[in-house]
Amino acid sequence: MENNNTLGLIFSENSEVNLGELMRVRSLAAVPVGGRYRIIDFMLSNMVNSGIVNVGVCTGYKNQSLLDHVGSGRAWDLSRKETGLFLLPPPEAQESGGRIAGGIDYLSGALRYLNRSRQDYVLVSDCNTICNIDLEKVFEFHFEKDADITVVYTEAPNLSPKELERHILLDVEEDGRVSDIQVYPKRQKTDCSYMHMFYMKKSLLIEMIEDCLAHDEHMISKNILLANVKKLSIFAYKFEGYKCKIDNIKSFYKFNLELLEPEVREELFGKCDGKNIYTKVKDSVPTKYGRDAEVKNSFIADGCEIEGKVENCIVFRGVKIGKGTVVKNAIIMQKSQIMDNCTVENAIFDKEVILMGGKSLVGESTYPLVIGKKTVV
């Protein structure tokens, strides 16, 4: 059922995220994951599954791959005349080559879109929070609590000092009200971790954006949420399903290999209540396996040619793995070629990488080796 009174906003970039070579030629939202998806597919599908039919994507400048992927939004049933999918301009701060743009700068590029849309409420989210969430429950919670802003959080106990640098923590009262917000704290005082997703009235958001821009304020977490925690009624909705925030190479690698676990796949893709994860569909021939091919606990997309051994891997479309080659604990992206008698372990290959015969590339399990797009080794 369509939710005609809520629009969605998704950030395709995040200045605090560093995926190295994987973002050299593309935006964060367009980074490939899981053998056939892009990062943005998850949040875009969550919004569509909740009935949102008007979605704006706040873009950056490396957006060609993103544009090619989402197109008109047809794969998500967002190719429509009046509503649908809208790609919004990048922030001026980024365009001018000045300071690093914050979330409010990206929202400034969405002001015209917000003012022209007919919906009264808006759901704002980063693109890199991977989950399958029933957003209709978030909306119901918001109105039940009569909240000004509803944020979404999950429990994250026992975070290390390094992990705390990546988390915004919430003090949540028994009734769900947020009493304090800790932005990247040094010590953990609560297990409630903000999922960079919030819901509120559109008119209030527009007012806040304009006020922040007038006062040279640029961070959503500090200048919209923290600044108003004592002034407005901010409530927190607890999400209890699988969630992964992809914000560095380690978390990217971890998420992809976690997809090999049946319970994670079931949580993200196995829902039978219409909460599917959609992506751009490509028609390819089936994968061909040679006589000596051996595949264990791996996801192999279509169009591949497998002659060697593959174990604990995510292999994208059109990949070729030669005879005598052993690939373990690796993510091999579209149209890459690993020739005969190679060894690859704990590695990430971007698209169209070629590894010549007889080569060995072995990274660490805690920090994989990353080979950039179209590299020949």
Side-chain angles (χ1 to χ4, degrees):
M1 186 172 66
E2 293 184 3
N3 185 338
N4 293 315
N5 207 30
T6 297
L7 63 89
L9 276 180
I10 303 175
F11 298 117
S12 71
E13 299 282 7
N14 188 322
S15 60
E16 298 173 351
V17 173
N18 181 14
L19 297 185
E21 280 290 327
L22 301 183
M23 289 179 61
R24 181 172 57 86
V25 296
R26 60 173 73 89
S27 67
L28 172 63
V31 172
V33 292
R36 63 192 296 259
Y37 299 92
R38 303 294 180 112
I39 284 178
I40 196 174
D41 291 344
F42 293 85
M43 189 48 59
L44 193 53
S45 297
N46 286 330
M47 289 187 176
V48 170
N49 290 336
S50 71
I52 296 176
V53 294
N54 191 4
V55 180
V57 178
C58 301
T59 66
Y61 280 86
K62 297 177 182 178
N63 58 14
Q64 188 57 54
S65 182
L66 177 62
L67 297 178
D68 291 343
H69 179 67
V70 300
S72 65
R74 182 179 178 182
W76 299 268
D77 194 27
L78 290 175
S79 181
R80 299 166 180 246
K81 289 184 178 180
E82 295 184 0
T83 56
L85 183 67
F86 297 86
L87 298 171
L88 308 175
E92 294 181 2
Q94 189 180 17
E95 185 176 19
S96 63
R99 58 172 173 74
I100 297 174
I104 292 171
D105 298 301
Y106 284 96
L107 287 175
S108 71
L111 276 173
R112 186 181 178 189
Y113 166 73
L114 290 170
N115 280 305
R116 293 181 63 181
S117 62
R118 298 178 180 177
Q119 288 76 18
D120 292 323
Y121 291 87
V122 56
L123 177 77
V124 181
S125 176
D126 282 356
C127 67
N128 58 320
T129 299
I130 306 296
C131 63
N132 192 333
I133 180 173
D134 187 347
L135 292 171
E136 293 178 80
K137 293 182 179 178
V138 178
F139 307 153
E140 292 171 2
F141 177 87
H142 178 85
F143 293 112
E144 176 188 320
K145 297 295 184 180
D146 193 25
D148 293 314
I149 303 174
T150 293
V151 297
V152 181
Y153 78 96
T154 188
E155 286 194 352
N158 305 317
L159 296 172
S160 68
K162 193 68 176 176
E163 290 173 323
L164 278 173
E165 296 175 0
R166 302 162 45 220
H167 286 260
I168 296 173
L169 301 181
L170 312 173
D171 286 341
V172 182
E173 304 296 330
E174 288 187 8
D175 64 350
R177 185 182 296 270
V178 178
S179 59
D180 194 19
I181 299 174
Q182 303 158 36
V183 181
Y184 310 128
K186 298 297 183 183
R187 292 188 299 121
Q188 184 169 5
K189 298 179 181 179
T190 171
D191 294 344
C192 303
S193 177
Y194 172 52
M195 288 176 60
H196 296 265
M197 197 184 311
F198 65 91
Y199 184 68
M200 64 188 299
K201 203 161 189 177
K202 183 185 69 174
S203 58
L204 179 58
L205 178 62
I206 292 172
E207 180 183 326
M208 288 180 167
I209 296 169
E210 293 174 342
D211 185 66
C212 287
L213 292 174
H215 290 88
D216 196 30
E217 297 171 340
H218 309 278
M219 289 185 64
I220 290 174
S221 56
K222 289 184 177 180
N223 304 127
I224 287 184
L225 299 179
L226 180 57
N228 289 289
V229 73
K230 304 297 185 184
K231 302 175 184 177
L232 298 176
S233 177
I234 301 180
F235 279 81
Y237 173 86
K238 183 179 178 181
F239 173 66
E240 298 181 341
Y242 173 84
K243 168 256 181 186
C244 180
K245 180 183 177 184
I246 296 179
D247 55 4
N248 54 29
I249 288 295
K250 186 177 179 180
S251 58
F252 173 85
Y253 183 66
K254 177 177 177 286
F255 165 67
N256 277 276
L257 294 189
E258 280 181 345
L259 287 177
L260 300 176
E261 301 174 13
E263 59 272 19
V264 174
R265 290 199 306 275
E266 179 67 21
E267 173 73 23
L268 288 175
F269 307 113
K271 295 181 180 292
C272 57
D273 53 358
K275 306 298 183 184
N276 300 316
I277 303 299
Y278 305 99
T279 190
K280 181 180 180 181
V281 176
K282 294 184 179 180
D283 295 324
S284 302
V285 298
T287 287
K288 184 195 301 183
Y289 296 92
R291 286 187 176 181
D292 298 322
E294 186 178 327
V295 178
K296 294 181 180 179
N297 192 39
S298 297
F299 178 87
I300 311 292
D302 47 3
C304 297
E305 295 181 19
I306 310 296
E307 300 281 352
K309 296 182 179 180
V310 181
E311 184 175 350
N312 298 329
C313 292
I314 300 289
V315 181
F316 286 66
R317 296 180 176 101
V319 168
K320 296 182 179 180
I321 296 177
K323 295 180 179 180
T325 288
V326 178
V327 184
K328 292 184 178 180
N329 305 319
I331 301 163
I332 312 297
M333 294 190 191
Q334 193 168 334
K335 295 183 179 179
S336 289
Q337 299 180 52
I338 304 176
M339 302 303 185
D340 296 347
N341 302 312
C342 292
T343 299
V344 176
E345 190 169 351
N346 302 325
I348 300 170
F349 283 23
D350 204 334
K351 287 185 175 184
E352 300 176 52
V353 169
I354 298 177
L355 181 62
M356 303 304 291
K359 303 292 183 182
S360 178
L361 291 177
V362 179
E364 297 291 334
S365 59
T366 54
Y367 201 89
L369 184 67
V370 181
I371 309 299
K373 186 176 181 179
K374 294 187 177 181
T375 299
V376 178
V377 181

